[in-house]
Amino acid sequence: MAPRSTDGLTPLELEIMKVLWATGPGGVQAVRDALAPRRKLAYTTVQTMLNILHRKGKVKRALKDRAYYYKPTVSRSQFARHAVNDVIDRLFGGSAESLVMSLLETKRLTPEKLTRLNQLLEESQEESDGNK
């Protein structure tokens, strides 16, 4: 069975979404060309994947000059936020602290990154306090 990404997207679907987020709306050939350095896919394969993403509600399509142009329905940051929340809920029982501890244990979160996160937390707290 193929590995699945978060939010019901396969790895190829996620790659296609990344192309659309990076390049903006595009047709099948534009998406295929953007994928070409990493993957050599048939035009019909990319077309099928875009149609699946459309059925899943991940992209909108509009007819222009006898061809469909596809556009993501959510931004990359909205998708990332949803995916992270999904991982926290499913793998860490809703505990963001457990996620951070896992990142520390696997050395994915260096002391420098942790310092930067602490700065961001302090700035966020100051903004929250200032809005009260």
Side-chain angles (χ1 to χ4, degrees):
M1 185 148 111
R4 300 210 35 104
S5 183
T6 57
D7 201 29
L9 294 183
T10 67
L12 180 55
E13 289 169 346
L14 186 55
E15 273 188 70
I16 290 171
M17 291 298 292
K18 287 178 182 178
V19 166
L20 292 173
W21 286 321
T23 64
V28 175
Q29 189 62 49
V31 172
R32 182 176 179 252
D33 291 345
L35 291 169
R38 296 178 305 281
R39 287 186 182 247
K40 299 216 183 300
L41 298 172
Y43 181 94
T44 54
T45 300
V46 176
Q47 185 177 41
T48 298
M49 298 308 296
L50 284 164
N51 287 332
I52 290 169
L53 286 167
H54 179 256
R55 280 195 304 270
K56 288 182 171 185
K58 303 301 179 189
V59 298
K60 293 190 295 190
R61 67 182 182 193
L63 193 58
K64 181 179 177 187
D65 300 328
R66 299 182 358 190
Y68 281 114
Y69 281 74
Y70 296 85
K71 176 182 177 181
T73 58
V74 295
S75 70
R76 184 181 209 140
S77 63
Q78 289 171 318
F79 181 83
R81 191 170 30 256
H82 184 278
V84 168
N85 285 334
D86 185 51
V87 167
I88 290 170
D89 289 342
R90 292 175 45 186
L91 295 178
F92 299 99
S95 171
E97 179 183 348
S98 294
L99 169 64
V100 173
M101 294 305 292
S102 177
L103 292 171
L104 286 168
E105 290 167 1
T106 59
K107 308 275 192 261
R108 294 263 181 149
L109 194 56
T110 64
E112 296 81 19
K113 290 178 183 176
L114 192 55
T115 299
R116 178 68 181 130
L117 280 173
N118 279 326
Q119 290 171 342
L120 290 171
L121 282 171
E122 288 173 10
E123 290 169 12
S124 176
Q125 186 62 44
E126 289 171 4
E127 287 177 15
S128 293
D129 291 345
N131 290 333
K132 289 182 181 179

